Amino acid sequence: MKKKLLVIGLDGGTFQIINQLVNEGMMPTFNSLLKQGAHGVLESTLDTNSPCAWSTFITGKNPGKHGIFGFFENIPGRYGVRFINGSFRSGKSLWKILSEHGKKVGIINVPTSYPAEEVNGVFISGPDAPSKNHPRFAYPDGIVGEIEEKVGEYIIEAGASALVRQGRFKQAIEKLHECINAKVSIVKYLLKRDDYDFFMVVFTESDRVQHHFWKYINKSHPAYSSPERERFGSAIYDVYKRLDEAVRNIIDTAGNNYSVIIMSDHGAGPSSNKTFFINNWLRDKGYLRFKSNTSIQGHTKNYFKGLLGRSYIFAKSSLSRKWKRRLRNLSPGLKNRASSVLRNLNIDWENTKAFSWENAPAVYINLKDKFPSGTVAPGKEYESLIESIKHDLLNLTFPENGEHIVKRVIRKEEVYRGSYINKAPDLFIEWKDNQFTVRPGYTSKNGLPIEVLAGKELNRAETISRPSGIHRQEGIFLFYGNEINRGAEIQNIRLYDVTATILYYLGIPVPCDFDGKVITEAFSERFIKENPVYKSENTTDNGASGLNYSENESEIITDRLKGLGYID
């Protein structure tokens, strides 16, 4: 029988929530799939942001080969940054490989997949697309119009984050459920419209609700004991229960001929009020210097005392995109002046050896051959500095009890390999027991490296930078269908392993430049014996085209990412 595969992505899906609801009888579909299929924790990329993680799945390669490490990247030869999309990814996509082997595919809403690729089937870009009206949003031409005529409006992003910033929590939750329902209707329509060898859809609503409502299930968070918990304490659970119903509806529509994979790009968990301001710490250790004797927090504090700064915070948290545009037109310097402060442009680069963008626990070295005012020479000087920073981080202690707080400091070469490794941060910090959260220096109250936020400071920090729910490395993987081992729990699964396994299951040799391995433990012995794993001598390299966003498109992407706490 011809093999067909349905992949359902739950962005940020975590067994921490799923297992709880399964045990309470609230997710019957997942309960059945866990018993009848194989499953395991899916290890995400070290930096668990969605572009890096999903691109690893899309290509079957580690970030050092595909070149995407986050929502933005340094502009070559500058300290500025630019937003990226799927066109910045190197390496053929999974669906392009499938199409070249004659497989019919349907791809819906996979993050970091814009612009749409010409595939053998249907392709609708993910949330990195600026607009559904863009000519490269979907393939073939007219498919979105057809969907909206037959099914209803196509919604790229729920906009729940903007509603949360405006204090409209109820409407945000309603919008998330509306988007789930809309995606289910679209998927059901497309599954009935054509016959596919491979069909994939990603629901991002699990990620969105966790970012903003985790505080209501985190017993150590002040919101857990607040009156709002009565109204919003079930928000995450309700979205997961709705996704359980969505998965059942999609599987039933697809029919028994499809095997099913359910996966996430990363997991989720609570952020911490114990906050680490990396650049303040680098300053105190002598690795970074600001353009004056104060920290970025000091600059920002004085700046935001003025009307302009207060207007910016208000605009960021409250106004619609239309009104933000009007405000900027009235005062053209508003966005640029505020963003220039928040983007660390007050750093004295000529006297700085290391810095962070402060959107992740990672450090960049100010290399001479990489940055225009680089101060560190490659080779011995670089190696000496790396070891010095590692030593200082590993000896970092929490002032309140003197306990060490860093579990590991990881060099990029330890986890990444490939021609794009130079784009990666030089060092990654792993906290002990996820005790700390990195936040941008402008949210610091006292300009210290370590602060415990509370009250208004915590609420402000969670509103305009890191929200109450953040990413974890532990995602989910479930595989259900004929010849899949029932009830098997599999260890050590990585994102690129899922890609290799999909090709294998559909009868396509795994390319030799893939980093992933086939998850053979998921299959019966008979299936493996009848279908031995083959590696192809073909490679899947292709250069990234790097389709830059226009100014207006960048604004749209900025608003989305700020609401999720991915950028500041």
Side-chain angles (χ1 to χ4, degrees):
M1 181 181 293
K2 182 181 179 182
K3 299 184 187 72
K4 302 165 72 174
L5 186 59
L6 172 65
V7 176
I8 302 174
L10 305 184
D11 197 292
T14 172
F15 281 123
Q16 182 177 347
I17 301 297
I18 291 170
N19 289 342
Q20 177 183 342
L21 294 178
V22 165
N23 292 336
E24 294 173 358
M26 299 295 183
M27 294 184 73
T29 304
F30 272 79
N31 183 41
S32 175
L33 293 173
L34 286 167
K35 290 178 179 177
Q36 298 180 42
H39 71 278
V41 172
L42 179 57
E43 181 182 334
S44 185
T45 46
L46 183 61
D47 191 343
T48 55
N49 66 78
S50 288
C52 182
W54 280 117
S55 296
T56 296
F57 163 77
I58 290 168
T59 61
K61 301 176 181 180
N62 84 89
K65 291 181 180 178
H66 64 64
I68 291 183
F69 295 90
F71 289 95
F72 59 82
E73 67 178 20
N74 282 104
I75 300 172
R78 294 169 56 184
Y79 289 103
V81 297
R82 62 186 176 191
F83 292 117
I84 61 91
N85 51 53
S87 71
F88 286 77
R89 186 183 64 242
S90 181
K92 285 183 183 178
S93 64
L94 168 63
W95 32 86
K96 196 67 174 180
I97 296 171
L98 292 171
S99 295
E100 290 175 352
H101 283 80
K103 304 295 184 182
K104 185 74 171 285
V105 303
I107 311 299
I108 311 296
N109 197 49
V110 179
T112 322
S113 63
Y114 168 82
E117 295 184 60
E118 296 183 7
V119 295
N120 180 26
V122 173
F123 190 107
I124 301 178
S125 298
D128 55 322
S131 168
K132 66 182 178 183
N133 298 318
H134 195 285
R136 300 189 66 180
F137 174 63
Y139 179 86
D141 290 342
I143 186 62
V144 174
E146 177 186 332
I147 287 171
E148 295 197 319
E149 179 183 344
K150 301 289 186 180
V151 182
E153 182 184 6
Y154 189 94
I155 306 170
I156 296 179
E157 183 66 42
S161 300
L163 293 169
V164 167
R165 294 200 306 274
Q166 296 164 20
R168 300 165 64 188
F169 295 164
K170 182 174 181 291
Q171 292 92 330
I173 296 168
E174 290 173 350
K175 195 67 176 179
L176 290 170
H177 285 266
E178 177 187 338
C179 284
I180 294 172
N181 294 340
K183 283 194 188 77
V184 170
S185 297
I186 291 165
V187 170
K188 290 171 68 175
Y189 170 75
L190 291 174
L191 285 171
K192 293 174 181 177
R193 177 182 181 270
D194 281 307
D195 186 39
Y196 302 91
D197 299 292
F198 177 83
F199 193 97
M200 180 172 183
V201 61
V202 174
F203 291 90
T204 57
E205 291 74 21
S206 40
D207 179 76
R208 308 311 187 239
V209 74
Q210 288 169 159
H211 277 306
H212 298 296
F213 293 91
W214 200 284
K215 58 187 175 183
Y216 297 113
I217 64 172
N218 176 10
K219 293 181 179 179
S220 64
H221 195 287
Y224 187 81
S225 55
S226 70
E228 287 81 9
R229 182 171 174 266
E230 290 295 321
R231 299 176 62 197
F232 308 119
S234 66
I236 292 175
Y237 303 133
D238 290 342
V239 166
Y240 269 78
K241 287 187 283 185
R242 179 65 194 97
L243 288 170
D244 186 80
E245 296 170 1
V247 169
R248 172 49 58 197
N249 280 334
I250 293 171
I251 291 175
D252 288 346
T253 301
N256 294 329
N257 291 334
Y258 283 88
S259 293
V260 180
I261 287 176
I262 301 176
M263 62 173 293
S264 65
D265 55 331
H266 53 72
S271 63
S272 175
N273 65 334
K274 295 177 181 177
T275 301
F276 187 60
F277 302 104
I278 300 183
N279 284 343
N280 288 353
W281 179 82
L282 289 169
R283 173 207 62 201
D284 286 359
K285 301 300 291 187
Y287 299 118
L288 177 148
R289 183 182 295 178
F290 292 103
K291 289 181 180 177
S292 74
N293 292 327
T294 58
S295 68
I296 186 172
Q297 184 270 344
H299 284 282
T300 312
K301 182 177 180 181
N302 293 330
Y303 184 73
F304 282 127
K305 282 183 177 179
L307 174 63
L308 187 59
R310 291 197 297 273
S311 299
Y312 178 74
I313 292 294
F314 172 74
K316 181 176 177 180
S317 61
S318 302
L319 297 182
S320 68
R321 187 178 300 121
K322 178 179 73 175
W323 281 101
K324 288 177 188 176
R325 189 179 297 114
R326 289 182 180 179
L327 178 62
R328 188 170 60 254
N329 290 338
L330 289 172
S331 180
L334 172 62
K335 177 175 180 288
N336 291 337
R337 285 180 64 190
S339 294
S340 70
V341 174
L342 305 187
R343 264 288 155 233
N344 300 335
L345 296 188
N346 65 324
I347 289 177
D348 180 356
W349 296 112
E350 294 181 354
N351 290 288
T352 289
K353 295 180 179 180
F355 68 96
S356 175
W357 291 122
E358 296 191 307
N359 66 319
V363 175
Y364 290 85
I365 302 302
N366 193 20
L367 274 169
K368 288 183 177 179
D369 61 350
K370 183 175 181 179
F371 295 106
S373 298
T375 59
V376 180
K380 289 183 178 180
E381 186 179 1
Y382 173 85
E383 294 297 329
S384 176
L385 179 61
I386 285 286
E387 290 306 312
S388 178
I389 296 174
K390 281 185 64 176
H391 175 270
D392 289 342
L393 283 169
L394 290 170
N395 284 281
L396 185 62
T397 58
F398 186 38
E400 292 188 6
N401 56 23
E403 292 184 358
H404 288 82
I405 62 176
V406 174
K407 180 180 178 181
R408 287 195 303 163
V409 180
I410 305 155
R411 295 181 57 143
K412 61 184 178 183
E413 297 88 356
E414 296 177 46
V415 288
Y416 298 144
R417 55 204 173 278
S419 57
Y420 294 97
I421 193 172
N422 190 48
K423 288 186 175 184
D426 295 276
L427 292 172
F428 296 90
I429 305 166
E430 183 178 337
W431 307 109
K432 287 184 178 179
D433 303 319
N434 297 307
Q435 291 182 59
F436 278 77
T437 295
V438 167
R439 290 189 169 93
Y442 71 88
T443 61
S444 167
K445 183 179 181 181
N446 301 309
L448 299 173
I450 294 176
E451 294 179 21
V452 180
L453 304 184
K456 291 181 179 179
E457 283 77 24
L458 178 61
N459 183 65
R460 177 173 177 265
E462 290 182 345
T463 299
I464 62 175
S465 59
R466 302 295 95 77
S468 66
I470 57 176
H471 298 174
R472 295 278 190 269
Q473 270 197 286
E474 300 80 18
I476 66 169
F477 174 79
L478 295 91
F479 199 171
Y480 164 79
N482 294 327
E483 303 293 348
I484 305 302
N485 283 330
R486 293 172 61 94
E489 185 169 356
I490 305 170
Q491 307 295 323
N492 302 318
I493 308 171
R494 298 188 176 185
L495 277 166
Y496 41 53
D497 296 335
V498 182
T499 324
T501 303
I502 289 170
L503 291 181
Y504 164 73
Y505 183 72
L506 295 176
I508 299 172
V510 178
C512 63
D513 59 348
F514 263 38
D515 291 313
K517 62 178 179 60
V518 176
I519 309 169
T520 55
E521 303 94 321
F523 300 97
S524 67
E525 290 184 11
R526 183 179 69 178
F527 187 87
I528 295 293
K529 186 176 181 180
E530 293 177 355
N531 301 273
V533 176
Y534 288 112
K535 277 266 189 179
S536 167
E537 294 183 0
N538 297 327
T539 63
T540 57
D541 286 334
N542 69 336
S545 59
L547 176 65
N548 287 308
Y549 293 113
S550 68
E551 183 177 351
N552 183 59
E553 291 169 347
S554 292
E555 175 191 335
I556 294 169
I557 301 300
T558 298
D559 285 350
R560 281 188 203 150
L561 299 181
K562 281 180 178 177
L564 298 170
Y566 292 143
I567 62 170
D568 308 301

